[in-house]
Amino acid sequence: MSLMFSIPALATTDNQPIMGFDIAWSNHYISEGRNNLNEGGIAWGVVSFEQDDVALYALVGRADQVHYIEWNAGIEYTLHLHDDVDATIGYQRLEFYGDERASDNEFFSSLTYNGFSWLIPAINYTFATEAGGYFVELSLHSPWEINELLTLTPYVVQGVDFQYSSEQHDGANHFQFGLEAEHQISDSMSLSAHISHSIAQEDIKQQASADGVQGSLDQTYAGVYLNLTF
């Protein structure tokens, strides 16, 4: 799933439960450097619940120009390995409704270092049971507080595919960079936007060659989302 935000994007205070609601839209549905829709974009609705480092979430996505609907539901647990190191583990079920009916199970994990306020490195890992492969993303985010309400975050991501998106090639998949902007409207509401550009690498190129796809394989896309927490 290629949302700008992570699901769930919540934080507890004094072990109090938090409910989150998100509405998002992107002009293209990009994941693993690939456009998943023939045309148009996709809108998402998300509900999440978190308490004591355990988060439950469900989301639905619907394309705005073609017939495509996606449902995801999952659970995530956060491990505080160190004052500056957080890890997550989780599972999610995916259901796809389009020209073809499909489903998948994914197990995922992440490792994030928070020792620097201006640079946040992270590793994300996803294993899909249907594909029988896994995908790894190495990322760097650099948040800059312009003022108390506005934060700009440039980022870069390197994706590596191991039979998750294609079976023809294992290795470099795509390199992506972009800019995220978050405006804190109130303590419980924020509005964000992003613009991103993904550069196809050997995994995508070999898959496109096998499928007879010609033309540029790079992707540029943008999106907005509204987040509410209670």
Side-chain angles (χ1 to χ4, degrees):
M1 179 185 63
S2 180
L3 299 183
M4 186 181 80
F5 50 96
S6 299
I7 304 293
L10 301 176
T12 55
T13 302
D14 297 329
N15 298 322
Q16 294 299 311
I18 294 181
M19 289 288 297
F21 297 93
D22 296 86
I23 300 174
W25 176 84
S26 182
N27 67 328
H28 298 301
Y29 182 11
I30 309 296
S31 63
E32 292 78 48
R34 297 160 172 82
N35 193 343
N36 297 292
L37 302 174
N38 292 329
E39 57 181 319
I42 189 167
W44 297 92
V46 187
V47 59
S48 52
F49 173 85
E50 182 178 355
Q51 186 174 22
D52 297 331
D53 296 324
V54 177
L56 303 172
Y57 62 90
L59 64 151
V60 59
R62 186 181 183 92
D64 55 23
Q65 295 189 33
V66 298
H67 172 56
Y68 180 81
I69 299 173
E70 179 176 333
W71 289 87
N72 295 353
I75 183 171
E76 182 179 280
Y77 180 69
T78 299
L79 302 166
H80 303 286
L81 303 180
H82 185 270
D83 290 344
D84 297 326
V85 179
D86 290 332
T88 66
I89 55 174
Y91 161 82
Q92 66 177 0
R93 173 72 176 181
L94 301 89
E95 300 286 344
F96 311 99
Y97 302 86
D99 294 336
E100 298 180 358
R101 175 75 169 85
S103 62
D104 208 340
N105 301 285
E106 290 187 346
F107 297 89
F108 58 88
S109 61
S110 69
L111 188 66
T112 304
Y113 179 72
N114 301 298
F116 307 112
S117 61
W118 55 274
L119 189 66
I120 303 174
I123 302 174
N124 292 276
Y125 170 91
T126 303
F127 174 79
T129 60
E130 291 297 316
Y134 61 96
F135 199 88
V136 178
E137 286 187 329
L138 310 174
S139 66
L140 289 172
H141 287 72
S142 182
W144 295 86
E145 292 187 2
I146 306 304
N147 54 46
E148 293 182 353
L149 301 178
L150 178 63
T151 301
L152 298 180
T153 306
Y155 75 91
V156 295
V157 175
Q158 174 63 58
V160 186
D161 182 39
F162 297 91
Q163 297 186 359
Y164 177 92
S165 296
S166 69
E167 297 182 357
Q168 290 78 18
H169 176 264
D170 288 342
N173 182 80
H174 74 291
F175 178 79
Q176 182 170 308
F177 59 91
L179 178 66
E180 303 171 353
E182 180 182 25
H183 177 64
Q184 194 70 36
I185 300 173
S186 68
D187 290 341
S188 60
M189 181 184 299
S190 65
L191 179 65
S192 301
H194 82 101
I195 183 168
S196 303
H197 181 70
S198 177
I199 300 173
Q201 294 180 322
E202 195 62 25
D203 194 80
I204 294 177
K205 292 177 180 178
Q206 290 203 13
Q207 183 180 21
S209 177
D211 295 340
V213 176
Q214 299 180 348
S216 175
L217 302 174
D218 298 346
Q219 306 287 344
T220 300
Y221 63 108
V224 295
Y225 83 90
L226 179 68
N227 171 259
L228 301 172
T229 57
F230 303 92

